Amino acid sequence: MKVIGYEWKLRQVMAAAGMFSTTKLIPELEARGIHLSASQVYRLAAEKPERLSLHVLAALMDIFGCTANDLITRVDLGAATARTGTGTGTDAGSPEASADALRASGARPKRARIVPPSDE
């Protein structure tokens, strides 16, 4: 299965437009009917959003005169690998590698001695 991610580039688009403070973005968004707090606008610019309203996206595209492709770039994260625990790899830290290291060292467990219960 192919894993797809994305890169959020609002900060770069803001810088290219000469807007270096997120507080300057608040009145621009409000003029377009988007009411967000200062902390929400900061998180929108500084972090990669997990969910984004299309109204906010359209407002940002209007403010900066850009397209969605300028704000969001698709990133290929490669293929997902399922960890089933049945692999035969010898990665360091894997159970197979640990067992092989113990066998190679010649370490053997101490034999248990079973004693009958006392009659006390």
Side-chain angles (χ1 to χ4, degrees), residues 41-85:
V41 173
Y42 174 80
R43 285 195 313 267
L44 181 66
E47 300 171 7
K48 182 168 77 168
E50 291 295 320
R51 294 180 305 274
L52 181 65
S53 166
L54 290 179
H55 293 287
V56 173
L57 181 61
L60 291 171
M61 292 185 323
D62 185 51
I63 291 167
F64 297 110
C66 64
T67 66
N69 289 338
D70 297 325
L71 291 168
I72 305 166
T73 304
R74 182 180 65 88
V75 177
D76 185 11
L77 300 177
T81 57
R83 297 192 58 138
T84 62

Side-chain angles (χ1 to χ4, degrees), residues 4 17 39 45 94 101:
I4 301 293
S39 64
S94 70

Side-chain angles (χ1 to χ4, degrees), residues 85-96:
T86 59
T88 58
T90 57
D91 296 335
S94 70
E96 293 85 8

